[in-house]
Amino acid sequence: MSPRAVTASVSPWPATAAPTATAPSPADSTPGGAVPASELPPPGEGPAADPLIQQALDRAGRSDLPPADERYLVTAGRAAWPAETVRYTQVRIQATTARREPDRDGAVVRLVWAGADPAGTYLEGRTAALHYIRNGEGSWTRT
């Protein structure tokens, strides 16, 4: 299995602890790096708010990957995330997007997720990033 990278940055929600770290904001292309609060549902709205979070994440940055790569990476990121949150309960992925890495020949899958940490604190709007690099064969490997 390849090494994994989860990086730290600013979230559009209040600071929360993630299993390994918080991740870059889902809004790389907006001023200040955060989705405007007016576009986000209030924390605690539950699964009904997830489509709104997905819409805000999608609007935060233009799609810059071929559609097949974007679908593959979103699916791979969603499949990989449960292994990163094994100490958490009630884990739910609220939104996911995949975009090119600005400074590498790769891609980043950004997730917004909810879950209860080992102490039992349940929070929505946790963020994470999973990084992938394109292999010589045209497939993607998590880094």
Side-chain angles (χ1 to χ4, degrees):
M1 184 166 278
S2 63
R4 297 184 176 134
V6 177
T7 57
S9 183
V10 177
S11 167
W13 291 273
T16 60
T20 51
T22 55
S25 165
D28 287 341
S29 64
T30 58
V35 174
S38 62
E39 292 185 30
L40 298 172
E45 290 292 303
D50 293 355
L52 298 173
I53 296 168
Q54 183 66 55
Q55 290 170 9
L57 192 59
D58 289 341
R59 283 192 308 266
R62 64 176 173 70
S63 181
D64 59 2
L65 289 166
D69 285 343
E70 186 173 356
R71 281 189 304 273
Y72 172 82
L73 289 163
V74 164
T75 300
R78 283 180 167 269
W81 193 240
E84 297 293 331
T85 58
V86 294
R87 294 181 53 225
Y88 285 64
T89 61
Q90 303 174 42
V91 172
R92 181 178 88 251
I93 296 174
Q94 297 179 273
T96 315
T97 191
R99 301 292 186 257
R100 289 191 192 280
E101 282 274 23
D103 58 347
R104 305 185 344 171
D105 184 28
V108 61
V109 175
R110 299 192 195 290
L111 300 105
V112 179
W113 64 284
D117 63 27
T121 304
Y122 183 85
L123 293 171
E124 294 182 335
R126 298 173 185 265
T127 61
L130 304 175
H131 299 270
Y132 292 81
I133 191 92
R134 185 178 292 280
N135 294 334
E137 311 89 51
S139 62
W140 294 91
T141 300
R142 187 166 166 208
T143 59

